[in-house]
Amino acid sequence: MTGDPFVAHRSLLFTVAYEMLGSAADAEDVLQESWLRWAAVDSSQVRDPRAYLVRTVTRQALNRLRTLSRSREEYIGEWLPEPLLTSPDVAEDVELAESVSIAMLTVLETLGPTERAVFVLREVFEMPYGEIAGAVGKSPAVRQIARRARDHVAARQPRVRVSRSEQRAVVERFLLALRTGRLQELMEVMAPDVVLIADGGGQAAAARVPVHGAGAVARLLTGADRGVVRYETTTVWLNGAPAGRVEIDGHLVAVSLVVEDGRIARIYAVANPRKLTRLDEAAELAR
C-alpha cells in the first residue's frame, strides 16, 4: 500500500476536493468514491497516475457540487466553508495558504461548479489547460472559463496581504478584547466598516444575515443587547492562518479574520457543530 499512487498523493487529492467543495466531510466522501474507481483500474496501464487521480477526484467533486447546490440554497442563514486545523507549515506556501483561506473559499462559493474546478486546477495547482479540459470536459472553452473565473475572484478577494506575524498580533488583540469584554478595544481593533458573517446552520445561535459596522459587531460580540457573554479563547492555525478557537458559554466557534491596514475588515464565525469536528487534528494539505 505504501507504493500505491493514491496513498502517495492523498494529501494533494484531499486538497483539490476540499477547495472545490469547501467541506472536509464532502471531500472525504469524494476521495472514497475516487478510491473505489482507482481500485477497479489496472494501474500499470496508467501513464501518469497523479494526473489520472486528480482528474478522477475533480469529476467526482463536480458531481458532488451539483448535488449539493440545492441543499446549500436551502441552508438556514449564511453558509461558510468548514474550517480546518492546519499546521503553521501550511503558511510557508503562501499560495496554498491563500487558496484554502476561509475568505478565498467563500469567494469560490460564488462561482459555478465548472468555473470553480477550472480556477482551482489552474490557479492553485498550475495544471496545464489540456489536463484541466480532460477533467472538466470543456476542452474548447477552458481558457475562457479560466479567465472569467480569475477575473471574478480578483474582484472579490481581499486585496491586501498581511504577514503572518501581523495577522497573529491582530487576532490576539481581538481575542483578548473578547475575553475581557472591552467594547472600546473591540471597536479599535476593527475597521469602521467591518462585516461579520456567522454560520450556525440552524444548529447553533448565530446571526442569519451579515452584520455591518464596528459598533453593531462589537455590541453583538460583547452581548450588550442580551447580557454578559463569557468567552474562552485560544489562538490556533485555521486554513493556513492564525485564527481563533472560541468557546461562548461553552459553545465552540471557529473564528477567521481578514486583516487590512492593521485592523479587522471581515470576521467569519462558524458555529455549526457539524462543521467543527476537525479542530483537534491538523489536516494534511498539499499541492
Side-chain angles (χ1 to χ4, degrees):
M1 290 296 292
T2 55
D4 189 304
F6 191 97
V7 176
H9 297 300
R10 193 184 192 286
S11 295
L12 163 69
L13 301 175
F14 174 81
T15 307
V16 171
Y18 175 67
E19 292 199 25
M20 285 187 59
L21 297 165
S23 163
D26 288 315
E28 290 288 1
D29 287 345
V30 162
L31 258 62
Q32 180 65 26
E33 294 163 1
S34 300
W35 161 250
L36 292 174
R37 283 162 174 73
W38 173 249
V41 169
D42 180 359
S43 59
S44 66
Q45 301 301 308
V46 179
R47 184 168 53 108
D48 185 345
R50 180 183 184 275
Y52 182 93
L53 288 167
V54 169
R55 184 164 63 248
T56 300
V57 166
T58 299
R59 289 173 176 170
Q60 295 305 312
L62 276 170
N63 291 339
R64 180 58 62 97
L65 262 181
R66 289 163 182 148
T67 60
L68 288 173
S69 60
R70 180 176 295 276
S71 63
R72 291 189 181 177
E73 288 174 3
E74 297 172 351
Y75 195 79
I76 298 174
E78 297 290 317
W79 189 95
L80 289 175
E82 179 181 352
L84 292 179
L85 185 70
T86 54
S87 72
D89 293 343
V90 172
E92 297 300 320
D93 185 338
V94 175
E95 297 298 331
L96 175 61
E98 181 176 301
S99 72
V100 299
S101 69
I102 296 295
M104 175 60 81
L105 293 173
T106 302
V107 171
L108 294 184
E109 281 295 310
T110 64
L111 292 171
T114 300
E115 287 182 321
R116 184 167 184 166
V118 170
F119 179 87
V120 168
L121 295 179
R122 181 62 183 173
E123 299 300 318
V124 180
F125 297 96
E126 300 176 341
M127 284 181 59
Y129 285 114
E131 290 185 20
I132 297 172
V136 302
K138 297 283 186 180
S139 184
V142 70
R143 289 177 182 271
Q144 293 178 346
I145 294 171
R147 182 172 61 252
R148 187 167 61 243
R150 187 166 52 247
D151 291 345
H152 179 97
V153 171
R156 291 162 176 80
Q157 71 182 123
R159 302 181 188 279
V160 181
R161 280 184 178 175
V162 300
S163 68
R164 294 310 178 199
S165 59
E166 180 182 354
Q167 176 85 13
R168 186 180 184 101
V170 173
V171 168
E172 290 180 346
R173 282 182 60 201
F174 173 77
L175 294 180
L176 176 60
L178 276 184
R179 284 197 307 273
T180 56
R182 295 174 182 171
L183 185 65
Q184 186 59 39
E185 291 185 13
L186 268 178
M187 296 276 287
E188 291 173 357
V189 77
M190 295 187 294
D193 57 351
V194 64
V195 179
L196 181 147
I197 301 173
D199 177 347
Q203 306 295 313
R208 295 193 178 184
V209 296
V211 180
H212 296 262
V217 172
R219 287 192 298 273
L220 175 69
L221 292 177
T222 57
D225 300 326
R226 63 188 189 284
V228 176
V229 177
R230 293 186 178 181
Y231 289 96
E232 294 183 13
T233 66
T234 307
T235 303
V236 294
W237 288 81
L238 297 180
N239 294 69
R245 179 187 174 111
V246 179
E247 289 192 20
I248 307 173
D249 292 333
H251 299 285
L252 181 61
V253 181
V255 179
S256 295
L257 307 175
V258 174
V259 176
E260 296 179 4
D261 300 322
R263 303 175 89 177
I264 298 166
R266 192 164 288 252
I267 303 169
Y268 299 101
V270 179
N272 185 342
R274 294 178 180 174
K275 296 184 178 183
L276 301 174
T277 62
R278 296 172 183 267
L279 299 185
D280 294 320
E281 183 177 354
E284 295 185 9
L285 304 177
R287 67 183 184 118

